[in-house]
């Protein structure tokens, strides 16, 4: 067991957020920090999601760090492996491995009011103290496994898209995919041509719009590398295009929803000729209400002879396949669970114990809330990345993450420069902010249907109800008056 005032700053998680925060700490001249990562490699989402077809669904020029732009993306939407390679190269360039403790999971964080420090306990039982903590544990990290009767009886292979088993050869096999969300639209068209038979189990169809993916020719990549101005311009144009489309996916407006519906229906008709199939694939809820998916070939896959869309609900899993309520047994050699993730930002990632021994789970008893999604009253010097109400439905998460890094960094610089004990967001400031967020939610489209965006009671603590640009303007600058300041 170790003890001591080990680091001024601890970062938990080595995904985009943790890596981005580390770089900005170095840029600010703060190089005494440690990154704790529970896995054996950096990368987060892009380390874990290696299923066939996995790629980002926001153009890579936007879905990358603004302070580490990459002219070499091979295509508009880079595949997972390329994004992971980008992150690995960024880590090497900034020599972040010197700061990294891999295979180290933080299992508890406890604030010590007397010393103004957080004590972090690892899964190995070690403890470290840090004055400030950046929590970059991600929002979509732990796979969600469906509770289907008989799963244990299945004799073939079962794998979740986020834990792909590359040892399993799908060639010539009968494969069943459960789920039709963001991972399914990528994995289904990719594996369809490899397998003998593909059965896709759909509970709810999704609105799908064209992705317009394309390869970037070598001359363009060279050009962008030589003239970074154009790389920045490309990022800016793609970012604003995604922002301008935003209201179609977040505002509760029949007129805007109609535009989205028409584009999606056109996409469906282009890809599927069979009217019966079209009907099965057409959602019955307002466009934008659930996550809108992007794909150029998902729907067309169902026209293939070897692909079957199953819309009867699943009754159970048996030794040789999946039984639906109509009595049919859909035989399979492999079951792929494209069933998404436990929503990480809805609860504390591990026991986080703040002022007066109050836990973050207690503070979030009625839903996860934080000031600007980052700081929670009673949990001083604790900065959350990708926290409550900071998810976008329309553009890159990283736009939000970078604003959060900037906010946290200003707080950290202030605490260090003024030798403060801690800063703690004022409860009334946090409440006012969240009342405003929930009021605005009423004008958003998301409350109209059941989705992973919503908590059990129907409130939305995951998405930001507006433009990313607005969030950035509101959040990137620290306003000291919003915080209670405690000196030694
Ligand atoms: C398949 C997929 C595709 C996506 N595509 C897009 C996209 O196109 N555009 C977009 O904007 N967003 C996309 N996202 C969302 C994506 O999660 C974020 O964009 C981004 O990668 C999140 O980065 P992060 O660093 O915040 O979290 P993560 O990448 O999830 O990293 C969190 C890290 O924290 C570590 N960790 C967690 N708990 C602990 C602990 N207790 N102790 C130590 N370490 C811990 C994890 O192991 C992980 O490495 C996608 C998500 C998925 C799953």
């Amino acid at each position: 067991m170790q003890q001591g005032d080990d680091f001024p700053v601890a970062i938990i998680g080595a995904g985009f957020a943790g890596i981005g925060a580390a770089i900005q700490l170095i840029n600010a001249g703060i190089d005494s920090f440690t990154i704790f990562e529970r896995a054996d490699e950096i990368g987060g989402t892009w380390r874990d999601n290696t299923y066939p077809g996995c790629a980002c669904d926001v153009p890579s020029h936007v879905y990358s760090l603004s302070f580490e732009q990459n002219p070499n993306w091979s295509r508009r939407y880079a595949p997972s492996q390329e994004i992971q390679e980008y992150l690995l190269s960024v880590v090497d360039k900034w020599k972040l491995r010197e700061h990294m403790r891999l295979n180290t999971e933080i299992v508890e964080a406890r604030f010590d009011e007397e010393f103004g420090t957080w004590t972090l306990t690892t899964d190995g039982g070690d403890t470290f103290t840090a004055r400030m903590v950046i929590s970059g544990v991600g929002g979509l990290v732990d796979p969600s496994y469906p509770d289907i009767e008989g799963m244990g009886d299945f004799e073939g292979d079962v794998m979740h898209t986020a834990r792909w088993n590359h040892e399993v050869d799908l060639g010539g096999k009968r494969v069943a995919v459960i789920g039709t969300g963001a991972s399914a639209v990528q994995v289904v068209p990719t594996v369809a041509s490899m397998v003998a038979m593909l059965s896709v189990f759909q509970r709810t169809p999704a609105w799908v719009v064209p992705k317009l993916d394309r390869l970037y020719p070598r001359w363009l990549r060279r050009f962008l590398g030589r003239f970074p101005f154009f790389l920045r311009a490309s990022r800016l144009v793609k970012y604003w295009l995604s922002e301008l489309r935003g209201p179609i996916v977040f505002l509760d407006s029949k007129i805007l929803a109609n535009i989205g519906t028409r584009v999606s229906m056109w996409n469906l008709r282009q890809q599927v000729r069979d009217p019966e199939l079209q009907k099965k694939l057409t959602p019955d809820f307002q466009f934008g209400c659930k996550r809108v998916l992007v794909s150029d070939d998902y729907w067309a896959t169902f026209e293939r002879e070897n692909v079957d869309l199953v819309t009867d609900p699943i009754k159970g899993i048996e030794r040789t396949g999946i039984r639906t309520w109509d009595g049919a047994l859909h035989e399979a050699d492999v079951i792929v669970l494209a069933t998404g993730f436990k929503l990480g930002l809805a609860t504390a990632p591990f026991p986080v114990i703040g002022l007066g021994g109050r836990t973050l789970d207690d503070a979030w008893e009625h839903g996860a809330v934080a000031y600007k999604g980052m700081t929670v009253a009673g949990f001083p010097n604790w900065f959350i990345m990708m926290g409550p109400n900071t998810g976008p439905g329309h553009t890159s998460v990283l736009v939000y993450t970078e604003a959060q890094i900037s906010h946290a960094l200003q707080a950290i610089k202030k605490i260090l420069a003024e030798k403060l004990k801690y800063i703690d967001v004022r409860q009334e400031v946090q409440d006012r902010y969240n009342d405003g967020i929930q009021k605005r939610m009423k004008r958003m489209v998301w409350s109209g249907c059941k989705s992973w965006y919503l908590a059990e009671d129907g409130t939305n603590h995951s998405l930001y109800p507006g433009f990313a640009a607005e969030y950035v303007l509101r959040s990137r600058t620290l306003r000291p008056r919003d915080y209670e300041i405690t000196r030694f």
Side-chain angles (χ1 to χ4, degrees):
M1 181 121 145
Q2 286 167 245
Q3 186 81 43
D5 193 355
D6 296 304
F7 320 107
V9 187
I11 298 173
I12 310 175
F16 260 112
I19 292 168
I23 294 172
Q24 294 299 53
L25 281 172
I26 294 173
N27 277 333
I30 303 165
D31 52 15
S32 180
F33 63 89
T34 285
I35 310 172
F36 294 96
E37 169 55 58
R38 70 182 182 185
D40 60 0
E41 186 50 287
I42 65 105
T45 292
W46 306 103
R47 173 199 65 229
D48 291 341
N49 290 271
T50 60
Y51 59 83
C54 183
C56 53
D57 53 18
V58 168
S60 294
H61 286 158
V62 186
Y63 190 66
S64 41
L65 296 166
S66 67
F67 37 87
E68 271 303 331
Q69 291 186 41
N70 175 20
N72 293 317
W73 294 117
S74 63
R75 53 191 317 126
R76 186 176 293 184
Y77 300 90
S80 160
Q81 195 187 338
E82 198 175 329
I83 304 173
Q84 175 67 354
E85 279 161 14
Y86 160 82
L87 285 170
L88 286 167
S89 72
V90 168
V91 163
D92 286 346
K93 177 177 162 190
W94 287 88
K95 300 191 170 40
L96 295 184
R97 290 202 184 268
E98 295 168 11
H99 298 268
M100 203 84 70
R101 277 173 195 263
L102 297 174
N103 297 308
T104 310
E105 179 168 2
I106 299 300
V107 294
E108 189 194 90
R110 186 179 288 273
F111 190 67
D112 184 326
E113 204 165 337
E114 192 188 339
F115 297 105
T117 52
W118 282 97
T119 301
L120 304 177
T121 306
T122 71
D123 53 350
D126 293 334
T127 57
F128 298 90
T129 59
R131 188 157 300 285
M132 291 143 291
V133 178
I134 295 177
S135 172
V137 295
L140 306 172
V141 201
D142 295 317
S144 162
Y145 290 91
D147 184 15
I148 305 174
E149 209 182 297
M151 184 80 91
D153 300 337
F154 185 61
E155 285 178 349
D157 293 296
V158 181
M159 54 186 163
H160 193 283
T161 47
R163 299 288 181 271
W164 196 263
N165 182 353
H166 291 273
E167 313 248 289
V168 176
D169 178 11
L170 297 185
K173 299 243 173 84
R174 294 163 304 172
V175 177
V177 175
I178 301 180
T180 50
S183 304
V185 297
Q186 297 183 335
V187 79
V188 163
T190 315
V191 302
S193 57
M194 306 173 190
V195 303
M197 182 67 207
L198 183 64
S199 309
V200 181
F201 292 78
Q202 170 184 282
R203 192 164 56 182
T204 325
W207 290 112
V208 184
V209 294
K211 191 169 189 181
L212 307 178
D213 194 12
R214 70 182 180 98
L215 277 170
Y216 286 138
R218 194 185 299 205
W219 68 261
L220 182 63
R221 290 187 261 150
R222 273 213 206 113
F223 176 79
L224 294 175
R226 269 191 80 183
F227 302 104
F229 166 80
F230 289 99
L231 181 59
R232 285 196 294 275
S234 163
R235 179 182 176 95
L236 211 63
V237 168
K238 291 186 173 94
Y239 162 68
W240 279 109
L241 282 176
S242 66
E243 277 281 56
L244 292 175
R245 282 194 299 262
I248 302 179
V249 261
F250 59 69
L251 276 185
D252 185 6
S253 149
K254 291 275 179 288
I255 297 167
L256 292 177
N258 200 19
I259 299 173
T261 307
R262 277 166 186 261
V263 173
S264 192
M265 287 307 291
W266 175 84
N267 192 26
L268 178 60
R269 284 191 296 268
Q270 290 302 302
Q271 296 191 35
V272 177
R273 299 271 163 226
D274 175 1
E276 209 33 55
L277 195 52
Q278 280 183 3
K279 215 165 127 198
K280 283 185 178 177
L281 290 165
T282 305
D284 62 359
F285 51 84
Q286 189 171 330
F287 187 88
C289 187
K290 292 177 193 252
R291 192 174 171 81
V292 173
L293 307 179
V294 290
S295 174
D296 292 328
D297 50 7
Y298 171 66
W299 275 335
T301 312
F302 294 100
E303 291 260 337
R304 292 177 63 102
E305 295 255 304
N306 67 334
V307 178
D308 185 21
L309 176 68
V310 184
T311 53
D312 278 299
I314 295 175
K315 184 165 184 234
I317 295 181
E318 300 180 8
R319 232 166 26 80
T320 56
I322 300 179
R323 177 86 59 192
T324 41
W325 276 100
D326 60 353
L329 176 70
H330 305 264
E331 296 204 325
D333 305 306
V334 181
I335 297 179
V336 171
L337 304 173
T339 44
F341 297 84
K342 294 179 198 150
L343 194 55
L345 47 81
T347 52
F350 42 78
V352 179
I353 302 137
L355 290 176
R358 194 165 69 125
T359 68
L360 192 54
D361 273 333
D362 282 346
W364 285 357
E365 196 185 353
H366 304 294
V369 284
Y371 179 51
K372 297 178 178 173
M374 286 179 272
T375 48
V376 184
F379 298 83
N381 294 2
W382 183 274
F383 304 96
I384 306 172
M385 307 284 109
M386 215 180 153
N389 292 112
T390 63
H394 65 286
T395 186
S396 170
V397 163
L398 303 179
V399 175
Y400 299 72
T401 308
E402 287 196 15
Q404 291 150 13
I405 293 172
S406 165
H407 188 104
L409 203 70
Q410 286 165 64
I412 289 168
K413 285 201 282 194
K414 186 175 172 63
I415 293 163
L416 291 176
E418 297 177 26
K419 298 196 167 51
L420 304 177
K421 195 170 182 185
Y422 56 81
I423 67 165
D424 186 20
V425 66
R426 293 175 192 276
Q427 185 71 55
E428 68 275 15
V429 170
Q430 179 183 312
D431 291 345
R432 210 168 35 241
Y433 176 81
N434 282 293
D435 287 349
I437 290 284
Q438 291 306 327
K439 253 187 218 130
R440 284 173 63 174
M441 277 301 171
K442 297 199 172 83
R443 281 180 276 134
M444 302 295 129
V445 59
W446 306 310
S447 54
C449 58
K450 198 167 179 278
S451 75
W452 62 265
Y453 291 158
L454 305 181
E456 298 261 296
D457 65 355
T459 51
N460 188 329
H461 297 276
S462 48
L463 299 183
Y464 184 73
F467 291 104
E470 186 224 325
Y471 175 81
V472 171
L473 285 176
R474 286 179 92 178
S475 311
R476 72 172 170 200
T477 311
L478 177 90
R479 283 196 317 198
R481 66 174 184 277
D482 293 340
Y483 288 86
E484 206 96 57
I485 292 175
T486 303
R487 297 173 190 279
F488 282 104

